[in-house]
Structures are given as structure tokens and as C-alpha cells.
Amino acid sequence: MNRRQREVLETLERLLHAIYCQDTDTYRELVADDVSSFEAETPARIDTVEFHLHYMRQQKTLRPPNVQYRLDIVNPRVQLYGNVAIATYTLVVTRSDEGGIRFQTTNETRVFVREDGRWMMVHFHKTPISQFSP
């Protein structure tokens, strides 16, 4: 991978960490106001960052104590087209809590645009492969 592709992967790692830690400040920094997304839990496209920020705030209040996550980005590919980057990968989330260890796997596509010297996510699409299971 070249330097710009590594920058995109570093931004992706920061973004995923922000999501699973409900770090709304970092998420807000890395996501465009008009972000669009397709997720398995919703029947239609979702637009704007506010939906996801609200969801993250709710998750933070509902999360049981002592939940820990490990995030593994498997088989990443970053395609660059000028100031646009498309990152595709499989995300494996390992969750541990009082109930034991569980896994969730999704195929994901995230689109980033480089503006003012930094990468911002403008679109993502997630397809679940498996949900948390004992």
C-alpha cells in the first residue's frame, strides 16, 4: 500500500474505534454532515450524521458495564480515485462480557473524500455475515 492508502486505513481504524467506543467527538470529526448509509437494520438509505450520533449516544447509555471489543479489519482494499477513496473489507468484532466471548462479522464498504488535507467518510454500506453468537 502507498502512503495515501495507509492514511485511509488509519482513518478507518480511528472511525471504527470511535463507533465502538461511542466517541461522538471523533466520529463527528471524521464523518461528513451529509453522510449516507445502508445498514441491515434499516429498510432505506439513511442520510446525515445526526442519525448516527443519536444512535451512538443511545448505545452509550444502554451498554452493559465491562463490555470490551476487539476489531479486526480482514482483507482490506483501498482504491484511490483522485481525492476519493473506497475502502472495502470484512470487519470481525469480538465482544467479551459476563456472558463470554461472541463474534460479529460484516462486509463493509466506506467511501472517503479528501478535503482540507484530511479524509472524511461520505458513505458506507454494511452487509452482515453473522451476528453475535455464543
Side-chain angles (χ1 to χ4, degrees):
M1 281 195 183
N2 66 34
R3 179 185 56 80
R4 289 184 60 162
Q5 289 170 312
R6 283 191 305 275
E7 286 176 4
V8 172
L9 277 182
E10 289 168 7
T11 301
L12 173 63
E13 289 171 354
R14 283 185 65 210
L15 177 71
L16 293 172
H17 180 75
I19 292 167
Y20 282 89
C21 292
Q22 283 85 43
D23 178 354
T24 55
D25 292 335
T26 300
Y27 188 83
R28 187 72 195 91
E29 172 191 333
L30 300 174
V31 177
D33 290 340
D34 63 346
V35 67
S36 58
S37 65
F38 288 105
E39 300 193 50
E41 299 84 10
T42 59
R45 185 188 68 234
I46 298 170
D47 294 324
T48 79
V49 71
E50 287 307 317
F51 174 87
H52 296 99
L53 290 172
H54 173 76
Y55 182 75
M56 289 171 69
R57 288 183 202 108
Q58 293 297 319
Q59 286 292 100
K60 194 171 194 172
T61 63
L62 299 173
R63 175 184 274 179
N66 303 320
V67 173
Q68 296 181 348
Y69 291 96
R70 174 187 164 125
L71 307 174
D72 291 293
I73 298 171
V74 180
N75 198 26
R77 180 180 183 200
V78 177
Q79 298 165 265
L80 295 171
Y81 302 96
N83 285 332
V84 175
I86 303 168
T88 54
Y89 55 93
T90 299
L91 179 64
V92 179
V93 179
T94 307
R95 173 183 162 173
S96 60
D97 58 24
E98 296 83 23
I101 297 174
R102 302 184 219 188
F103 302 90
Q104 178 182 17
T105 309
T106 55
N107 286 330
E108 299 189 7
T109 300
R110 295 190 187 255
V111 180
F112 295 86
V113 174
R114 188 167 179 81
E115 291 182 351
D116 301 324
R118 62 189 182 109
W119 293 101
M120 297 217 21
M121 185 179 67
V122 295
H123 177 77
F124 70 93
H125 191 129
K126 296 175 12 179
T127 302
I129 298 172
S130 66
Q131 297 299 317
F132 287 119
S133 60

